[in-house]
Amino acid sequence: EDQVTQSPEALRLQEGESSSLNCSYTVSGLRGLFWYRQDPGKGPEFLFTLYSAGEEKEKERLKATLTKKESFLHITAPKPEDSATYLCAVQEPERLVFGKGTKLTVNP
Amino acid sequence: GAGVSQSPSNKVTEKGKDVELRCDPISGHTALYWYRQSLGQGLEFLIYFQGNSAPDKSGLPSDRFSAERTGGSVSTLTIQRTQQEDSAVYLCASSLTIGFSNYEQYFGPGTRLTVT
């Protein structure tokens, strides 16, 4: 079965302090890798889909990259409103397999 | 446009009672999914529907769990004889289809179930 591991479990940053979140995966043929953001008490919000190694996607202060073994979510000059849990998932034919997430806190 | 909606948002029930959770997907989305998120755990897949059909029910935790979808739209997840370990947030998602490029799953806000 596909597996997804995210690190670190929690990350505290100061406003403006750039960093990266990691998602490593083991799959037998990647169909798609997904990043979601989840705020407390809410459902996950879709951010990005990556399909092949070398692919990159950006949205505001976030950039997702993909290699054959892992994906990174780079956060540039974060703001307090970027505080959330970031979830990574890989696509199996009929479901997403999620990691446990990285809880990001950005202090002003 | 309207996103995925779920009701109720919170449900407190006594052990042994039955509960029904409802999901209304994004209009036009043929695929619908149920997940469960327990404290400190990742999202656990339960079941998916393509149209009204659920080809694989093996993700349901026990035979107390069942789900149906009617009219290719609304779905209900039913838990019979609830147990304390059923306490979790139940999330519903929908996507345009399954297995192709338009696969992004969009999630509802979830139903927080507490079994006392």
Side-chain angles (χ1 to χ4, degrees), chain B residues 90-110:
Chain B
Y90 289 82
L91 291 160
C92 175
S94 70
S95 68
L96 197 59
T97 186
I98 285 183
F100 302 97
S101 61
N102 292 326
Y103 191 82
E104 289 86 3
Q105 293 186 21
Y106 295 90
F107 283 81

mmCIF file with all atom_site columns, all heavy atoms in Angstrom, chain B residues 90-110:
data_model
loop_
_atom_site.group_PDB
_atom_site.id
_atom_site.type_symbol
_atom_site.label_atom_id
_atom_site.label_alt_id
_atom_site.label_comp_id
_atom_site.label_asym_id
_atom_site.label_entity_id
_atom_site.label_seq_id
_atom_site.pdbx_PDB_ins_code
_atom_site.Cartn_x
_atom_site.Cartn_y
_atom_site.Cartn_z
_atom_site.occupancy
_atom_site.B_iso_or_equiv
_atom_site.pdbx_formal_charge
_atom_site.auth_seq_id
_atom_site.auth_comp_id
_atom_site.auth_asym_id
_atom_site.auth_atom_id
_atom_site.pdbx_PDB_model_num
ATOM 1   N N   . TYR B 1 90  ? -16.017 13.465 10.488  1.00 0.00 ? 90  TYR B N   1
ATOM 2   C CA  . TYR B 1 90  ? -16.307 12.754 9.244   1.00 0.00 ? 90  TYR B CA  1
ATOM 3   C C   . TYR B 1 90  ? -16.372 13.775 8.113   1.00 0.00 ? 90  TYR B C   1
ATOM 4   O O   . TYR B 1 90  ? -17.174 14.707 8.133   1.00 0.00 ? 90  TYR B O   1
ATOM 5   C CB  . TYR B 1 90  ? -17.612 11.968 9.379   1.00 0.00 ? 90  TYR B CB  1
ATOM 6   C CG  . TYR B 1 90  ? -17.434 10.789 10.306  1.00 0.00 ? 90  TYR B CG  1
ATOM 7   C CD1 . TYR B 1 90  ? -17.495 10.955 11.689  1.00 0.00 ? 90  TYR B CD1 1
ATOM 8   C CD2 . TYR B 1 90  ? -17.145 9.518  9.807   1.00 0.00 ? 90  TYR B CD2 1
ATOM 9   C CE1 . TYR B 1 90  ? -17.277 9.886  12.552  1.00 0.00 ? 90  TYR B CE1 1
ATOM 10  C CE2 . TYR B 1 90  ? -16.929 8.451  10.655  1.00 0.00 ? 90  TYR B CE2 1
ATOM 11  C CZ  . TYR B 1 90  ? -16.996 8.630  12.025  1.00 0.00 ? 90  TYR B CZ  1
ATOM 12  O OH  . TYR B 1 90  ? -16.775 7.584  12.874  1.00 0.00 ? 90  TYR B OH  1
ATOM 13  N N   . LEU B 1 91  ? -15.490 13.588 7.151   1.00 0.00 ? 91  LEU B N   1
ATOM 14  C CA  . LEU B 1 91  ? -15.349 14.522 6.047   1.00 0.00 ? 91  LEU B CA  1
ATOM 15  C C   . LEU B 1 91  ? -15.853 13.899 4.753   1.00 0.00 ? 91  LEU B C   1
ATOM 16  O O   . LEU B 1 91  ? -15.598 12.734 4.471   1.00 0.00 ? 91  LEU B O   1
ATOM 17  C CB  . LEU B 1 91  ? -13.885 14.915 5.871   1.00 0.00 ? 91  LEU B CB  1
ATOM 18  C CG  . LEU B 1 91  ? -13.292 15.782 6.992   1.00 0.00 ? 91  LEU B CG  1
ATOM 19  C CD1 . LEU B 1 91  ? -11.774 15.696 6.992   1.00 0.00 ? 91  LEU B CD1 1
ATOM 20  C CD2 . LEU B 1 91  ? -13.729 17.225 6.832   1.00 0.00 ? 91  LEU B CD2 1
ATOM 21  N N   . CYS B 1 92  ? -16.534 14.706 3.984   1.00 0.00 ? 92  CYS B N   1
ATOM 22  C CA  . CYS B 1 92  ? -17.009 14.307 2.670   1.00 0.00 ? 92  CYS B CA  1
ATOM 23  C C   . CYS B 1 92  ? -16.272 15.139 1.626   1.00 0.00 ? 92  CYS B C   1
ATOM 24  O O   . CYS B 1 92  ? -15.952 16.320 1.862   1.00 0.00 ? 92  CYS B O   1
ATOM 25  C CB  . CYS B 1 92  ? -18.506 14.545 2.577   1.00 0.00 ? 92  CYS B CB  1
ATOM 26  S SG  . CYS B 1 92  ? -19.222 14.234 0.954   1.00 0.00 ? 92  CYS B SG  1
ATOM 27  N N   . ALA B 1 93  ? -15.975 14.539 0.506   1.00 0.00 ? 93  ALA B N   1
ATOM 28  C CA  . ALA B 1 93  ? -15.331 15.257 -0.600  1.00 0.00 ? 93  ALA B CA  1
ATOM 29  C C   . ALA B 1 93  ? -15.992 14.858 -1.904  1.00 0.00 ? 93  ALA B C   1
ATOM 30  O O   . ALA B 1 93  ? -16.599 13.785 -2.004  1.00 0.00 ? 93  ALA B O   1
ATOM 31  C CB  . ALA B 1 93  ? -13.837 14.955 -0.650  1.00 0.00 ? 93  ALA B CB  1
ATOM 32  N N   . SER B 1 94  ? -15.871 15.713 -2.901  1.00 0.00 ? 94  SER B N   1
ATOM 33  C CA  . SER B 1 94  ? -16.355 15.336 -4.226  1.00 0.00 ? 94  SER B CA  1
ATOM 34  C C   . SER B 1 94  ? -15.346 15.767 -5.271  1.00 0.00 ? 94  SER B C   1
ATOM 35  O O   . SER B 1 94  ? -14.514 16.656 -5.041  1.00 0.00 ? 94  SER B O   1
ATOM 36  C CB  . SER B 1 94  ? -17.727 15.957 -4.515  1.00 0.00 ? 94  SER B CB  1
ATOM 37  O OG  . SER B 1 94  ? -17.658 17.361 -4.686  1.00 0.00 ? 94  SER B OG  1
ATOM 38  N N   . SER B 1 95  ? -15.389 15.098 -6.403  1.00 0.00 ? 95  SER B N   1
ATOM 39  C CA  . SER B 1 95  ? -14.524 15.456 -7.523  1.00 0.00 ? 95  SER B CA  1
ATOM 40  C C   . SER B 1 95  ? -15.295 15.265 -8.817  1.00 0.00 ? 95  SER B C   1
ATOM 41  O O   . SER B 1 95  ? -16.291 14.546 -8.867  1.00 0.00 ? 95  SER B O   1
ATOM 42  C CB  . SER B 1 95  ? -13.233 14.634 -7.529  1.00 0.00 ? 95  SER B CB  1
ATOM 43  O OG  . SER B 1 95  ? -13.485 13.270 -7.803  1.00 0.00 ? 95  SER B OG  1
ATOM 44  N N   . LEU B 1 96  ? -14.765 15.907 -9.860  1.00 0.00 ? 96  LEU B N   1
ATOM 45  C CA  . LEU B 1 96  ? -15.468 15.879 -11.142 1.00 0.00 ? 96  LEU B CA  1
ATOM 46  C C   . LEU B 1 96  ? -15.641 14.450 -11.628 1.00 0.00 ? 96  LEU B C   1
ATOM 47  O O   . LEU B 1 96  ? -16.694 14.069 -12.120 1.00 0.00 ? 96  LEU B O   1
ATOM 48  C CB  . LEU B 1 96  ? -14.676 16.710 -12.156 1.00 0.00 ? 96  LEU B CB  1
ATOM 49  C CG  . LEU B 1 96  ? -15.428 17.128 -13.427 1.00 0.00 ? 96  LEU B CG  1
ATOM 50  C CD1 . LEU B 1 96  ? -16.648 17.955 -13.079 1.00 0.00 ? 96  LEU B CD1 1
ATOM 51  C CD2 . LEU B 1 96  ? -14.497 17.889 -14.351 1.00 0.00 ? 96  LEU B CD2 1
ATOM 52  N N   . THR B 1 97  ? -14.571 13.667 -11.491 1.00 0.00 ? 97  THR B N   1
ATOM 53  C CA  . THR B 1 97  ? -14.641 12.278 -11.886 1.00 0.00 ? 97  THR B CA  1
ATOM 54  C C   . THR B 1 97  ? -13.550 11.524 -11.157 1.00 0.00 ? 97  THR B C   1
ATOM 55  O O   . THR B 1 97  ? -12.915 12.062 -10.258 1.00 0.00 ? 97  THR B O   1
ATOM 56  C CB  . THR B 1 97  ? -14.502 12.140 -13.410 1.00 0.00 ? 97  THR B CB  1
ATOM 57  O OG1 . THR B 1 97  ? -14.708 10.771 -13.786 1.00 0.00 ? 97  THR B OG1 1
ATOM 58  C CG2 . THR B 1 97  ? -13.125 12.568 -13.883 1.00 0.00 ? 97  THR B CG2 1
ATOM 59  N N   . ILE B 1 98  ? -13.307 10.297 -11.523 1.00 0.00 ? 98  ILE B N   1
ATOM 60  C CA  . ILE B 1 98  ? -12.275 9.476  -10.875 1.00 0.00 ? 98  ILE B CA  1
ATOM 61  C C   . ILE B 1 98  ? -11.245 9.057  -11.904 1.00 0.00 ? 98  ILE B C   1
ATOM 62  O O   . ILE B 1 98  ? -11.597 8.620  -12.987 1.00 0.00 ? 98  ILE B O   1
ATOM 63  C CB  . ILE B 1 98  ? -12.915 8.240  -10.225 1.00 0.00 ? 98  ILE B CB  1
ATOM 64  C CG1 . ILE B 1 98  ? -13.637 8.624  -8.938  1.00 0.00 ? 98  ILE B CG1 1
ATOM 65  C CG2 . ILE B 1 98  ? -11.877 7.172  -9.945  1.00 0.00 ? 98  ILE B CG2 1
ATOM 66  C CD1 . ILE B 1 98  ? -14.232 7.461  -8.209  1.00 0.00 ? 98  ILE B CD1 1
ATOM 67  N N   . GLY B 1 99  ? -9.969  9.196  -11.524 1.00 0.00 ? 99  GLY B N   1
ATOM 68  C CA  . GLY B 1 99  ? -8.916  8.538  -12.281 1.00 0.00 ? 99  GLY B CA  1
ATOM 69  C C   . GLY B 1 99  ? -8.319  9.335  -13.414 1.00 0.00 ? 99  GLY B C   1
ATOM 70  O O   . GLY B 1 99  ? -7.396  8.878  -14.050 1.00 0.00 ? 99  GLY B O   1
ATOM 71  N N   . PHE B 1 100 ? -8.791  10.551 -13.636 1.00 0.00 ? 100 PHE B N   1
ATOM 72  C CA  . PHE B 1 100 ? -8.245  11.336 -14.734 1.00 0.00 ? 100 PHE B CA  1
ATOM 73  C C   . PHE B 1 100 ? -7.724  12.667 -14.230 1.00 0.00 ? 100 PHE B C   1
ATOM 74  O O   . PHE B 1 100 ? -7.611  12.887 -13.052 1.00 0.00 ? 100 PHE B O   1
ATOM 75  C CB  . PHE B 1 100 ? -9.304  11.506 -15.838 1.00 0.00 ? 100 PHE B CB  1
ATOM 76  C CG  . PHE B 1 100 ? -9.797  10.209 -16.374 1.00 0.00 ? 100 PHE B CG  1
ATOM 77  C CD1 . PHE B 1 100 ? -10.968 9.648  -15.907 1.00 0.00 ? 100 PHE B CD1 1
ATOM 78  C CD2 . PHE B 1 100 ? -9.064  9.516  -17.327 1.00 0.00 ? 100 PHE B CD2 1
ATOM 79  C CE1 . PHE B 1 100 ? -11.411 8.428  -16.381 1.00 0.00 ? 100 PHE B CE1 1
ATOM 80  C CE2 . PHE B 1 100 ? -9.512  8.297  -17.808 1.00 0.00 ? 100 PHE B CE2 1
ATOM 81  C CZ  . PHE B 1 100 ? -10.689 7.746  -17.331 1.00 0.00 ? 100 PHE B CZ  1
ATOM 82  N N   . SER B 1 101 ? -7.391  13.564 -15.099 1.00 0.00 ? 101 SER B N   1
ATOM 83  C CA  . SER B 1 101 ? -6.712  14.790 -14.676 1.00 0.00 ? 101 SER B CA  1
ATOM 84  C C   . SER B 1 101 ? -7.570  15.650 -13.764 1.00 0.00 ? 101 SER B C   1
ATOM 85  O O   . SER B 1 101 ? -7.063  16.308 -12.879 1.00 0.00 ? 101 SER B O   1
ATOM 86  C CB  . SER B 1 101 ? -6.275  15.597 -15.896 1.00 0.00 ? 101 SER B CB  1
ATOM 87  O OG  . SER B 1 101 ? -7.418  15.955 -16.668 1.00 0.00 ? 101 SER B OG  1
ATOM 88  N N   . ASN B 1 102 ? -8.873  15.647 -13.966 1.00 0.00 ? 102 ASN B N   1
ATOM 89  C CA  . ASN B 1 102 ? -9.730  16.464 -13.102 1.00 0.00 ? 102 ASN B CA  1
ATOM 90  C C   . ASN B 1 102 ? -10.062 15.705 -11.835 1.00 0.00 ? 102 ASN B C   1
ATOM 91  O O   . ASN B 1 102 ? -11.208 15.376 -11.588 1.00 0.00 ? 102 ASN B O   1
ATOM 92  C CB  . ASN B 1 102 ? -11.012 16.847 -13.847 1.00 0.00 ? 102 ASN B CB  1
ATOM 93  C CG  . ASN B 1 102 ? -10.731 17.788 -14.984 1.00 0.00 ? 102 ASN B CG  1
ATOM 94  O OD1 . ASN B 1 102 ? -9.836  18.613 -14.899 1.00 0.00 ? 102 ASN B OD1 1
ATOM 95  N ND2 . ASN B 1 102 ? -11.483 17.645 -16.050 1.00 0.00 ? 102 ASN B ND2 1
ATOM 96  N N   . TYR B 1 103 ? -9.040  15.434 -11.052 1.00 0.00 ? 103 TYR B N   1
ATOM 97  C CA  . TYR B 1 103 ? -9.231  14.544 -9.927  1.00 0.00 ? 103 TYR B CA  1
ATOM 98  C C   . TYR B 1 103 ? -9.240  15.261 -8.595  1.00 0.00 ? 103 TYR B C   1
ATOM 99  O O   . TYR B 1 103 ? -9.443  14.658 -7.576  1.00 0.00 ? 103 TYR B O   1
ATOM 100 C CB  . TYR B 1 103 ? -8.109  13.494 -9.903  1.00 0.00 ? 103 TYR B CB  1
ATOM 101 C CG  . TYR B 1 103 ? -8.346  12.367 -8.944  1.00 0.00 ? 103 TYR B CG  1
ATOM 102 C CD1 . TYR B 1 103 ? -9.154  11.289 -9.280  1.00 0.00 ? 103 TYR B CD1 1
ATOM 103 C CD2 . TYR B 1 103 ? -7.758  12.377 -7.689  1.00 0.00 ? 103 TYR B CD2 1
ATOM 104 C CE1 . TYR B 1 103 ? -9.351  10.249 -8.388  1.00 0.00 ? 103 TYR B CE1 1
ATOM 105 C CE2 . TYR B 1 103 ? -7.952  11.348 -6.794  1.00 0.00 ? 103 TYR B CE2 1
ATOM 106 C CZ  . TYR B 1 103 ? -8.748  10.290 -7.153  1.00 0.00 ? 103 TYR B CZ  1
ATOM 107 O OH  . TYR B 1 103 ? -8.952  9.263  -6.276  1.00 0.00 ? 103 TYR B OH  1
ATOM 108 N N   . GLU B 1 104 ? -9.030  16.603 -8.609  1.00 0.00 ? 104 GLU B N   1
ATOM 109 C CA  . GLU B 1 104 ? -8.942  17.290 -7.324  1.00 0.00 ? 104 GLU B CA  1
ATOM 110 C C   . GLU B 1 104 ? -10.199 17.031 -6.500  1.00 0.00 ? 104 GLU B C   1
ATOM 111 O O   . GLU B 1 104 ? -11.315 17.177 -6.995  1.00 0.00 ? 104 GLU B O   1
ATOM 112 C CB  . GLU B 1 104 ? -8.799  18.803 -7.543  1.00 0.00 ? 104 GLU B CB  1
ATOM 113 C CG  . GLU B 1 104 ? -7.465  19.232 -8.089  1.00 0.00 ? 104 GLU B CG  1
ATOM 114 C CD  . GLU B 1 104 ? -7.388  19.161 -9.608  1.00 0.00 ? 104 GLU B CD  1
ATOM 115 O OE1 . GLU B 1 104 ? -8.410  18.824 -10.232 1.00 0.00 ? 104 GLU B OE1 1
ATOM 116 O OE2 . GLU B 1 104 ? -6.305  19.450 -10.147 1.00 0.00 ? 104 GLU B OE2 1
ATOM 117 N N   . GLN B 1 105 ? -9.995  16.617 -5.274  1.00 0.00 ? 105 GLN B N   1
ATOM 118 C CA  . GLN B 1 105 ? -11.106 16.398 -4.370  1.00 0.00 ? 105 GLN B CA  1
ATOM 119 C C   . GLN B 1 105 ? -11.326 17.661 -3.547  1.00 0.00 ? 105 GLN B C   1
ATOM 120 O O   . GLN B 1 105 ? -10.384 18.190 -2.964  1.00 0.00 ? 105 GLN B O   1
ATOM 121 C CB  . GLN B 1 105 ? -10.833 15.212 -3.448  1.00 0.00 ? 105 GLN B CB  1
ATOM 122 C CG  . GLN B 1 105 ? -10.773 13.888 -4.191  1.00 0.00 ? 105 GLN B CG  1
ATOM 123 C CD  . GLN B 1 105 ? -10.641 12.701 -3.266  1.00 0.00 ? 105 GLN B CD  1
ATOM 124 O OE1 . GLN B 1 105 ? -10.961 12.773 -2.079  1.00 0.00 ? 105 GLN B OE1 1
ATOM 125 N NE2 . GLN B 1 105 ? -10.181 11.585 -3.802  1.00 0.00 ? 105 GLN B NE2 1
ATOM 126 N N   . TYR B 1 106 ? -12.572 18.103 -3.483  1.00 0.00 ? 106 TYR B N   1
ATOM 127 C CA  . TYR B 1 106 ? -12.930 19.287 -2.708  1.00 0.00 ? 106 TYR B CA  1
ATOM 128 C C   . TYR B 1 106 ? -13.735 18.835 -1.496  1.00 0.00 ? 106 TYR B C   1
ATOM 129 O O   . TYR B 1 106 ? -14.718 18.099 -1.642  1.00 0.00 ? 106 TYR B O   1
ATOM 130 C CB  . TYR B 1 106 ? -13.720 20.265 -3.580  1.00 0.00 ? 106 TYR B CB  1
ATOM 131 C CG  . TYR B 1 106 ? -12.876 20.810 -4.712  1.00 0.00 ? 106 TYR B CG  1
ATOM 132 C CD1 . TYR B 1 106 ? -12.837 20.157 -5.943  1.00 0.00 ? 106 TYR B CD1 1
ATOM 133 C CD2 . TYR B 1 106 ? -12.070 21.927 -4.528  1.00 0.00 ? 106 TYR B CD2 1
ATOM 134 C CE1 . TYR B 1 106 ? -12.033 20.615 -6.978  1.00 0.00 ? 106 TYR B CE1 1
ATOM 135 C CE2 . TYR B 1 106 ? -11.264 22.396 -5.553  1.00 0.00 ? 106 TYR B CE2 1
ATOM 136 C CZ  . TYR B 1 106 ? -11.245 21.745 -6.771  1.00 0.00 ? 106 TYR B CZ  1
ATOM 137 O OH  . TYR B 1 106 ? -10.433 22.196 -7.784  1.00 0.00 ? 106 TYR B OH  1
ATOM 138 N N   . PHE B 1 107 ? -13.298 19.284 -0.346  1.00 0.00 ? 107 PHE B N   1
ATOM 139 C CA  . PHE B 1 107 ? -13.844 18.792 0.912   1.00 0.00 ? 107 PHE B CA  1
ATOM 140 C C   . PHE B 1 107 ? -14.910 19.720 1.483   1.00 0.00 ? 107 PHE B C   1
ATOM 141 O O   . PHE B 1 107 ? -14.854 20.943 1.307   1.00 0.00 ? 107 PHE B O   1
ATOM 142 C CB  . PHE B 1 107 ? -12.732 18.632 1.949   1.00 0.00 ? 107 PHE B CB  1
ATOM 143 C CG  . PHE B 1 107 ? -11.886 17.414 1.735   1.00 0.00 ? 107 PHE B CG  1
ATOM 144 C CD1 . PHE B 1 107 ? -10.863 17.413 0.807   1.00 0.00 ? 107 PHE B CD1 1
ATOM 145 C CD2 . PHE B 1 107 ? -12.122 16.255 2.462   1.00 0.00 ? 107 PHE B CD2 1
ATOM 146 C CE1 . PHE B 1 107 ? -10.081 16.281 0.588   1.00 0.00 ? 107 PHE B CE1 1
ATOM 147 C CE2 . PHE B 1 107 ? -11.341 15.119 2.272   1.00 0.00 ? 107 PHE B CE2 1
ATOM 148 C CZ  . PHE B 1 107 ? -10.324 15.135 1.330   1.00 0.00 ? 107 PHE B CZ  1
ATOM 149 N N   . GLY B 1 108 ? -15.840 19.108 2.198   1.00 0.00 ? 108 GLY B N   1
ATOM 150 C CA  . GLY B 1 108 ? -16.782 19.858 2.991   1.00 0.00 ? 108 GLY B CA  1
ATOM 151 C C   . GLY B 1 108 ? -16.184 20.196 4.345   1.00 0.00 ? 108 GLY B C   1
ATOM 152 O O   . GLY B 1 108 ? -15.045 19.823 4.644   1.00 0.00 ? 108 GLY B O   1
ATOM 153 N N   . PRO B 1 109 ? -16.949 20.878 5.192   1.00 0.00 ? 109 PRO B N   1
ATOM 154 C CA  . PRO B 1 109 ? -16.439 21.313 6.497   1.00 0.00 ? 109 PRO B CA  1
ATOM 155 C C   . PRO B 1 109 ? -16.398 20.208 7.546   1.00 0.00 ? 109 PRO B C   1
ATOM 156 O O   . PRO B 1 109 ? -15.774 20.381 8.597   1.00 0.00 ? 109 PRO B O   1
ATOM 157 C CB  . PRO B 1 109 ? -17.438 22.401 6.916   1.00 0.00 ? 109 PRO B CB  1
ATOM 158 C CG  . PRO B 1 109 ? -18.695 22.029 6.217   1.00 0.00 ? 109 PRO B CG  1
ATOM 159 C CD  . PRO B 1 109 ? -18.278 21.423 4.911   1.00 0.00 ? 109 PRO B CD  1
ATOM 160 N N   . GLY B 1 110 ? -17.057 19.096 7.257   1.00 0.00 ? 110 GLY B N   1
ATOM 161 C CA  . GLY B 1 110 ? -17.014 17.974 8.182   1.00 0.00 ? 110 GLY B CA  1
ATOM 162 C C   . GLY B 1 110 ? -18.158 17.966 9.192   1.00 0.00 ? 110 GLY B C   1
ATOM 163 O O   . GLY B 1 110 ? -18.806 18.981 9.439   1.00 0.00 ? 110 GLY B O   1
#
